[in-house]
């Protein structure tokens, strides 16, 4: 049965495209009209018509649901009833455009629910013409976008909060590490001078304690320097372009020339099989350099042998840097990527920032990095890179 509040004739222009399709499917006359009315009634969107004075002439169940008013309450009433007090001018302005024969599409605005709540609405308003083509009113489709707007606002607020937190963190890390440098330099210089001048006169524990102090101050100086580097890299937008990864690998290998020679290491890669990737040249060179220098540092009884390969993966490549070193127990596979986390604090030099930077670089490229390893069986660091922008 047709809802008396909602004549399909009133909104026939708005749904012309449905009508055409239905006519194509063999619907005509009364059958077509009742089918259109059923479509209007079953719509979740509010489908409303009004005359040129702005008086509501039809009101479907979608409108009842969105605005909380029944058809009985709205038909014959001014549509302006739905406008918030601070937006009363908007509806007459829309009607002026309708009288000119214009259509207002996907216009985002605010309307009031019967209970006084503000609703975010997307509106499409079109002129209704009689059989002579004269504009006699307007049809209006309103969609409740309150939830979408709320979600958009939440995402924007979270993004703002994250940006502020990142900036604060960067500032904090920078200021603390910068300010800590000065007193530490004094501690280091004084303990070194003391050790040089009076070291010979000290015996037993006294000399050892002083040496331990110097060593700790040196280590802390290194850590603070690394922390500064890390703080500076926070929140940086890297300029990206298409890069031959073999060039980046060669660059990293050249930088490590001395360490490679002195350890007798073999670095193996097939230039022709390393792909073009989308990334930042300097950052990727640092990534390979950190991974290679770790592979040289954490070597086993054999001279280091490091192999670099790349396999195609969805949207890009998975790179592998495989070594024959001491390996890493699975329980530490996540921990080693955390800032200043080291498995051997004394046996090997370092501060525990290298893999944190590697993860940051890969993530800034939209990829992931992880390790596959067991103690005594070498380690394979794997990471993904995109083949091209947006892939
Ligand atoms: P660092 O080398 O300065 O300690 P990293 O962040 O580069 O800092 O590495 C963190 C820890 O991960 C290292 O201390 C080491 O225990 C472990 N690690 C890194 N790379 C390897 C590797 N190739 N083989 C074995 N252990 C490794």
């Amino acid at each position: 049965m047709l809802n008396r509040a909602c004549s399909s004739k009133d909104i026939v222009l708005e749904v012309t495209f449905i009508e055409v399709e239905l006519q194509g499917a063999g619907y005509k006359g009364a059958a077509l009209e009742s089918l259109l009315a059923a479509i209007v009634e079953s719509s979740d969107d509010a489908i409303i018509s009004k005359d040129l004075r702005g008086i509501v002439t039809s009101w479907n169940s979608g409108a009842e649901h969105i605005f909380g008013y029944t058809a009985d309450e709205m038909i014959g009433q001014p549509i302006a009833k739905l406008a918030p007090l601070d937006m009363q001018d908007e509806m007459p302005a829309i009607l002026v455009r309708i009288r000119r024969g214009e259509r207002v599409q996907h216009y985002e605005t605010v309307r009031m629910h019967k209970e006084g709540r503000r609703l975010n609405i997307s509106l499409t308003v079109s002129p209704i013409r009689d059989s002579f083509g004269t504009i006699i009113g307007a049809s209006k489709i309103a969609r409740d976008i309150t939830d979408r707007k709320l979600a958009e606002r939440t995402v924007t607020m979270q993004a703002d909060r994250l940006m502020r937190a990142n900036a604060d963190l960067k500032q904090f890390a920078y200021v603390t590490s910068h300010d800590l440098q000065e007193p530490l330099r004094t501690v280091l210089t004084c303990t070194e001078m003391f050790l040089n001048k009076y070291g010979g006169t000290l015996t037993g524990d006294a000399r050892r304690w002083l040496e331990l102090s110097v060593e700790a101050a040196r280590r802390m100086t290194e850590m603070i320097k690394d922390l500064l580097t890390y703080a500076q890299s926070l929140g940086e937008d890297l300029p990206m372009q298409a890069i031959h990864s073999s060039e980046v690998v060669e660059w990293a290998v050249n930088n490590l020339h001395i360490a490679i020679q002195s350890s007798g290491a073999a670095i193996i890669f097939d230039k022709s099989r390393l792909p073009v990737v989308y990334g930042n040249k300097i950052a990727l060179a640092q990534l390979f350099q950190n991974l290679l220098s770790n592979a040289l540092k954490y070597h086993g009884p054999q001279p280091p042998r490091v192999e670099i390969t790349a396999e195609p993966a969805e949207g890009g490549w998975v790179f592998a840097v495989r070594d024959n070193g001491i390996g890493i127990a699975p329980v530490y596979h996540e921990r080693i990527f955390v800032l200043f986390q080291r498995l051997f604090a004394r046996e090997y030099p370092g501060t525990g920032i290298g893999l944190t930077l590697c993860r940051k670089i890969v993530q800034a490229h939209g990829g992931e990095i992880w390790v596959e390893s067991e103690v005594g069986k070498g380690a394979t660091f794997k990471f993904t890179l995109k083949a091209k922008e947006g892939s």
Side-chain angles (χ1 to χ4, degrees):
M1 196 182 82
L2 271 183
N3 181 333
R4 65 175 180 75
C6 185
S7 147
S8 62
K9 247 186 285 172
D10 289 335
I11 49 107
V12 78
L13 284 168
E14 187 61 55
V15 291
T16 307
F17 65 99
I18 302 175
E19 191 182 4
V20 171
E21 297 234 325
L22 292 174
Q23 277 173 342
Y27 287 93
K28 286 196 200 90
L32 176 62
E33 193 172 311
S34 78
L35 195 67
L36 280 173
I39 291 168
V40 169
E41 261 317 282
S42 61
S43 168
D44 285 340
D45 293 336
I47 302 179
I48 303 162
S49 62
K50 58 189 177 185
D51 65 20
L52 286 178
R53 291 167 305 148
I55 301 297
V56 175
T57 51
S58 77
W59 186 263
N60 75 339
S61 56
E64 291 188 353
H65 180 72
I66 292 177
F67 297 107
Y69 293 100
T70 61
D72 282 344
E73 287 169 316
M74 280 309 289
I75 290 176
Q77 295 291 317
I79 190 82
K81 207 169 155 178
L82 300 178
L85 285 178
D86 52 330
M87 297 176 103
Q88 289 289 324
D89 295 347
E90 200 184 80
M91 287 187 175
I94 291 177
L95 275 173
V96 167
R97 290 179 63 180
I98 293 298
R99 280 196 200 98
R100 287 204 298 255
E102 288 173 26
R103 194 166 191 241
V104 178
Q105 263 182 306
H106 309 300
Y107 175 70
E108 293 191 2
T109 185
V110 175
R111 293 289 178 261
M112 299 305 291
H113 187 272
K114 185 182 176 185
E115 288 162 3
R117 269 184 283 128
R118 285 170 87 89
L119 302 166
N120 289 100
I121 293 290
S122 167
L123 278 183
T124 294
V125 191
S126 312
I128 300 174
R129 295 171 199 268
D130 63 13
S131 48
F132 303 105
T134 311
I135 296 168
I136 53 164
S139 73
K140 175 164 151 179
I141 299 189
R143 174 162 294 178
D144 185 355
I145 54 167
T146 308
D147 288 347
R148 196 192 84 199
K149 282 279 171 200
L150 200 69
E152 278 172 12
R153 266 201 296 275
T154 312
V155 169
T156 315
M157 269 164 54
Q158 278 170 348
D160 282 354
R161 213 175 293 147
L162 262 176
M163 261 171 61
R164 272 200 308 274
N166 209 20
D168 287 352
L169 185 68
K170 183 174 175 169
Q171 179 76 356
F172 171 76
Y174 187 79
V175 169
T176 0
S177 40
H178 192 264
D179 290 356
L180 283 175
Q181 265 181 333
E182 205 40 53
L184 189 64
R185 204 171 289 140
T186 313
V187 172
L188 184 59
T189 315
C190 292
T191 42
E192 274 176 341
M193 277 175 11
F194 193 86
L195 191 63
N196 288 341
K197 196 159 180 187
Y198 303 108
T201 63
L202 298 173
T203 51
D205 283 347
R207 188 184 164 90
R208 206 170 61 82
W209 289 337
L210 198 60
E211 281 169 350
L212 282 179
S213 307
V214 170
E215 195 192 308
R218 280 191 191 137
R219 230 184 13 253
M220 203 162 162
T221 310
E222 282 301 301
M223 286 172 83
I224 287 178
K225 210 173 79 211
D226 282 350
L227 195 58
L228 263 172
T229 315
Y230 183 65
Q232 275 159 349
S233 72
L234 283 174
E236 242 176 43
D237 262 345
L238 298 173
M240 308 256 183
Q241 62 185 91
I243 306 169
H244 284 281
S245 57
S246 60
E247 277 177 30
V248 181
V249 171
E250 278 177 336
W251 194 0
V253 170
N254 285 338
N255 287 347
L256 295 168
H257 179 67
I258 295 173
I260 292 171
Q261 273 206 331
S262 60
S263 61
I267 312 285
I268 298 147
F269 59 95
D270 181 346
K271 260 178 84 167
S272 65
R273 302 191 70 174
L274 289 181
V276 170
V277 293
Y278 182 69
N280 179 278
K281 216 171 184 169
I282 296 174
L284 291 184
Q286 189 181 7
L287 169 68
F288 279 106
Q289 193 172 320
N290 285 356
L291 294 178
L292 286 173
S293 78
N294 276 352
L296 300 180
K297 183 163 57 169
Y298 301 104
H299 66 81
Q302 310 293 331
R305 183 183 186 281
V306 196
E307 199 181 350
I308 302 164
T309 53
E311 296 288 330
E314 201 188 324
W317 298 88
V318 180
F319 283 79
V321 178
R322 188 185 314 273
D323 66 45
N324 61 341
I326 58 174
I328 303 159
V331 64
Y332 299 124
H333 285 188
E334 259 308 304
R335 199 175 117 183
I336 54 171
F337 290 97
V338 176
L339 189 63
F340 296 145
Q341 292 294 324
R342 314 193 62 225
L343 305 185
F344 308 95
R346 301 207 169 265
E347 296 89 326
Y348 298 90
T351 56
I353 200 173
L355 290 179
T356 311
L357 281 175
C358 288
R359 178 162 274 179
K360 252 181 68 68
I361 292 169
V362 173
Q363 284 175 345
H365 284 76
E368 284 177 76
I369 183 167
W370 67 98
V371 66
E372 293 170 1
S373 178
E374 279 178 49
V375 174
K377 296 192 176 167
T380 305
F381 283 86
K382 291 190 172 177
F383 55 91
T384 55
L385 289 178
K386 290 178 182 170
K388 47 181 189 280
E389 188 175 3
S391 59

